[in-house]
Amino acid sequence: MTFSDALSGKRGLILGVANDRSIAWGIAQVMASAGARLGFTYQGDRLERRVRPLAEKVEGEIITSCDVCDEKDVEKLFQKVDDQWGGLDFLVHSIAFADKKDLEKEYLDTGREGFLKAHDISSYSFTLLAREAAKRMTAGSSMVTMSYLGAERAMKGYNVMGVAKASLEASVRYLAADLGPRDIRVNAVSAGPIQTLSARGISGFSEIFSEVEGRAALGRGVTTEEVGNTAAFLLSPLASGITGEVIYVDGGFRMMG
Ligand code: NAD
Ligand code: IMJ
C-alpha cells in the first residue's frame, strides 16, 4: 500500500453536503481525488437541487434524500448500499442542528424539546448510522464525524450544541471500543470555525473568527480542504493505528496558552 492507492476504489457514504461550502463537500472532493467511490445524501428534496450537481461532479454512485430523524429514510439508504455496492468501506457524518432560539439564549434556558432535537440530529444520528454502516463493513473500514471545541469548553452561543458535541465525542469512544475488535475505526475531526451555512448568521461569528486568526499558532483559519485531507487520512489505512480520537484541525488554536 502506498499513499496514492490508500483510498482508491473504497466505497463510502458522505452525509451532510448542503452546498459547495459544506465541510462534507471538502471531504468529498479529497476522497474523490483519491479515487474513492462515493454515495451522497441530502436532507430533504429542498436540497436536492444543490447537492445532485455537486455529487455528479465527483461521479457519486448513490445520491439520495436522508433525514436522519426518519428511520425509514435511513433504512432506504442502506437498502441502496446493499443493492448497489453490497458492502461499505467508510462513513462520513457531517451533520448538526439545533433550534436557532437555543443558540441565542443562555444554555440554562434550554427546554427538553430543543435539547432532545439537538442531541437526536447532532449526536444520536451518528450512532444509528454507525450501527447500520458497521453491518456492511469488514476489517480495515473507518468512520469519521465532525466536532467542535464547544464540546469541551463553554463557547459563547454554542450552548446546547456544545452539550450535543460532547455526547458525540463520547459516542466516538464507545463506538470505537465496540468496533475495535472487528478492526473498524471511529474518529472525530474537531475543526476550527469555517464560514459554512451552519456558521453563517450566528451572532458574533466574525468576532469569533478574528479571535481565532489572532490566537491560532498558524495565524489563520482553516479550509474545508484541510479538514477534508485530515478526514481522508483517518478514513485511510495510513491511520490504521488511530481510533476513538478527536483530531484538531484548527490551525493550532486549542493548544495555545
Ligand atoms: P453545513 O450547513 O454545510 O452542514 C450541515 C449539514 O447538516 C447540512 O448538510 C444539513 O442538511 C445537515 N442536516 C441538518 N439536519 C439534518 C437532518 N435532520 N438530516 C440530515 N441532514 C441534516 O455546515 P458545516 O459547517 O459543513 O457542518 C458540518 C459539520 O461540521 C457539523 O457537524 C458541524 O457541527 C461541524 N463543524 C462545523 C464547523 C464550522 O465552523 N462550520 C466547525 C466545527 C465543526
Ligand atoms: C454555532 C453556534 C454558535 C457559535 C458557533 C457555531 N461557532 C461556530 C459554530 C463559534 C464555529 C458553527 N458550528 C461549529 C456548528 O456546529 C453549528 C451548528 C449549528 C448551526 C445552526 C445555525 C442555523 C440553525 N441551527 C443551527 N444548528 C446547529 O437554525
Side-chain angles (χ1 to χ4, degrees):
M1 199 255 314
T2 64
F3 279 106
S4 60
D5 64 14
L7 284 162
S8 121
K10 302 271 185 221
R11 304 151 300 178
L13 291 177
I14 300 193
L15 292 90
V17 179
N19 58 36
D20 63 359
R21 292 173 161 222
S22 294
I23 290 173
W25 178 240
I27 299 171
Q29 285 175 291
V30 174
M31 293 302 285
S33 67
R37 298 168 59 189
L38 304 178
F40 291 88
T41 70
Y42 47 86
Q43 179 198 9
D45 297 333
R46 195 175 46 85
L47 282 176
E48 178 168 12
R49 193 172 53 87
R50 289 203 178 277
V51 178
R52 188 169 289 278
L54 291 173
E56 281 169 356
K57 251 191 229 175
V58 293
E59 289 163 58
E61 297 176 26
I62 295 171
I63 309 172
T64 189
S65 172
C66 181
D67 183 327
V68 293
C69 296
D70 186 338
E71 305 246 350
K72 287 235 161 54
D73 269 14
V74 175
E75 235 172 70
K76 274 193 261 173
L77 168 63
F78 284 98
Q79 189 59 53
K80 289 205 166 82
V81 169
D82 293 341
D83 295 346
Q84 277 179 248
W85 289 344
L88 197 63
D89 302 302
F90 65 89
L91 174 77
V92 175
H93 174 276
S94 184
I95 288 172
F97 188 81
D99 281 331
K100 194 139 195 192
K101 64 173 179 352
D102 291 323
L103 299 173
E104 284 166 349
K105 58 192 185 191
E106 290 187 324
Y107 176 67
L108 187 63
D109 290 326
T110 308
R112 174 174 278 128
E113 201 189 324
F115 182 96
L116 292 176
K117 186 175 192 177
H119 283 72
D120 186 19
I121 298 174
S122 313
S123 176
Y124 179 71
S125 67
F126 184 55
T127 298
L128 169 66
L129 291 159
R131 178 165 61 246
E132 288 309 313
K135 289 179 192 164
R136 280 102 180 152
M137 286 177 161
T138 55
S141 298
S142 173
M143 312 180 187
V144 163
T145 186
M146 292 304 309
S147 194
Y148 178 60
L149 189 56
E152 52 190 298
R153 293 190 194 163
M155 308 286 278
K156 196 165 171 288
Y158 206 54
N159 303 344
V160 72
M161 270 309 308
V163 182
K165 290 295 193 192
S167 155
L168 178 69
E169 291 187 4
S171 297
V172 165
R173 292 184 280 273
Y174 282 96
L175 291 167
D178 286 345
L179 295 172
R182 294 162 54 185
D183 195 21
I184 298 170
R185 296 178 298 103
V186 187
N187 292 286
V189 175
S190 184
I194 302 176
Q195 287 263 15
T196 64
L197 199 61
S198 287
R200 243 186 296 147
I202 281 149
S203 59
F205 187 85
S206 26
E207 291 82 72
I208 292 162
F209 197 80
S210 0
E211 195 197 326
V212 166
E213 285 181 318
R215 275 187 41 195
L218 295 179
R220 60 169 178 84
V222 295
T223 64
T224 57
E225 188 186 0
E226 290 177 310
V227 173
N229 283 333
T230 298
F233 160 69
L234 289 170
L235 294 171
S236 83
L238 295 168
S240 58
I242 303 176
T243 194
E245 286 298 326
V246 179
I247 308 287
Y248 295 84
V249 180
D250 65 352
F253 177 80
R254 175 180 178 264
M255 62 83 185
M256 287 297 288

